[in-house]
Amino acid sequence: MSTEQPVSRHVGSTQPPRLTRVDGTPIRVVVVDDEDSLTDLLSMALRYEGWDVKIASDGRTAMAVTREFRPDVIVLDIMLPDIDGLQVLTRLRADGISTPILFLTAKDSLDDRIVGLTVGGDDYVTKPFSLEELVARLRGLIRRSTLVLSDSDDSYLTVGDLSLDEDSYEVRRGDTVVELTATEFELLRYLMRNPRRVLSKSQILDRVWSYDFGGKSSVVELYISYLRKKIDSLGEPMIHTVRGVGYVLKPAN
């Protein structure tokens, strides 16, 4: 891989509130990259957040560390010396490990991003990047998971026979439990907090991802299709497309 400096060393002076797991213990992070200078820098930045960090320099080590350490989020480079990051993610998902994963890579084409998200990734950062951006993205992924307490008093959402519990991270349609990734959960939560309201792709991008992948709405279409396979396959369709406008969630007839 290139030895060119991949990140900015500038760190902002304003430190946001620290995140912890619900039991008060540090957030656990696995950083996977074969560039020692990069992993050293990321480790320093993430430990400054108060997080517990483990490092892996290849794909097989990453899988072993993840299975043992049970991290709360993973930073995963795609270009690794043995098996690539896409294969690592695919194998972890096959093992039932749904830990949010942020891809880190020098590849920056839309096709590469879509491939990474299609296999189950949750976010994507390209080199060069700033430490502030990467930490902010990780904090966003963590907030979507069950690792931090919900800041909402109304943590239980119901639309028709679909229910979502923000505290237990449990989604059900009728009596069936629906397993979702962190990003799928956040998308469904946004839809359920706005039942019968048509949401545009730009609104969804801004709310769920907090940025727009260069304005590519295909990311929204991709995740809407994931939700439909998991939610609408269990009964009458609930997620509807309003052509030229966006998407709406409403109770089945």
Side-chain angles (χ1 to χ4, degrees):
M1 292 183 60
S2 170
T3 58
E4 194 175 12
Q5 179 59 41
V7 296
S8 165
R9 291 180 180 270
H10 173 71
V11 178
S13 58
T14 301
Q15 178 72 1
R18 291 195 172 187
L19 296 180
T20 64
R21 312 178 95 200
V22 293
D23 61 1
T25 59
I27 297 294
R28 297 178 183 178
V29 188
V30 169
V31 177
V32 187
D33 198 291
D34 63 343
E35 295 183 42
D36 292 341
S37 60
L38 175 59
T39 55
D40 288 347
L41 187 59
L42 288 180
S43 296
M44 178 182 66
L46 298 179
R47 288 180 177 128
Y48 181 71
E49 291 287 316
W51 300 350
D52 191 358
V53 183
K54 299 290 186 184
I55 301 299
S57 59
D58 59 67
R60 290 184 174 84
T61 301
M63 290 188 291
V65 170
T66 296
R67 289 167 180 146
E68 178 180 357
F69 186 50
R70 292 293 173 176
D72 303 319
V73 69
I74 300 171
V75 180
L76 179 61
D77 190 23
I78 289 183
M79 302 297 290
L80 296 171
D82 50 358
I83 58 176
D84 66 37
L86 298 177
Q87 295 180 61
V88 172
L89 184 146
T90 299
R91 295 183 189 185
L92 291 176
R93 294 291 188 251
D95 287 347
I97 297 174
S98 58
T99 304
I101 290 179
L102 180 147
F103 276 121
L104 179 64
T105 179
K107 295 183 178 181
D108 59 3
S109 74
L110 176 63
D111 289 344
D112 290 327
R113 302 182 208 189
I114 295 299
V115 168
L117 294 171
T118 299
V119 298
D122 295 283
D123 206 343
Y124 198 107
V125 172
T126 58
K127 302 175 184 177
F129 61 89
S130 71
L131 287 175
E132 296 97 321
E133 178 188 12
L134 184 137
V135 171
R137 297 280 187 89
L138 291 178
R139 289 173 68 91
L141 287 180
I142 291 165
R143 286 194 183 97
R144 298 175 200 169
S145 71
T146 59
L147 311 174
V148 292
L149 292 172
S150 170
D151 58 3
S152 169
D153 292 334
D154 182 15
S155 63
Y156 193 80
L157 306 176
T158 303
V159 178
D161 63 348
L162 183 65
S163 64
L164 180 150
D165 190 327
E166 294 178 320
D167 290 339
S168 69
Y169 201 67
E170 184 175 79
V171 174
R172 289 179 178 270
R173 179 144 193 205
D175 296 326
T176 303
V177 175
V178 182
E179 299 292 338
L180 300 178
T181 66
T183 301
E184 292 167 350
F185 182 87
E186 182 67 10
L187 174 56
L188 181 62
R189 174 164 58 180
Y190 184 45
L191 293 172
M192 291 184 70
R193 283 197 171 277
N194 296 274
R196 301 182 184 275
R197 176 186 173 192
V198 179
L199 302 170
S200 69
K201 293 177 183 177
S202 62
Q203 286 176 308
I204 294 172
L205 282 166
D206 181 64
R207 174 61 180 83
V208 177
W209 282 272
S210 301
Y211 65 104
D212 64 3
F213 281 94
K216 301 299 183 180
S217 61
S218 54
V219 173
V220 176
E221 297 168 5
L222 183 69
Y223 273 85
I224 287 290
S225 71
Y226 290 164
L227 282 185
R228 281 176 166 153
K229 289 176 183 177
K230 295 183 177 183
I231 302 297
D232 287 350
S233 63
L234 299 174
E236 291 295 318
M238 298 184 67
I239 303 171
H240 303 273
T241 301
V242 180
R243 295 193 179 280
V245 183
Y247 302 97
V248 59
L249 177 80
K250 55 187 178 181
N253 296 327

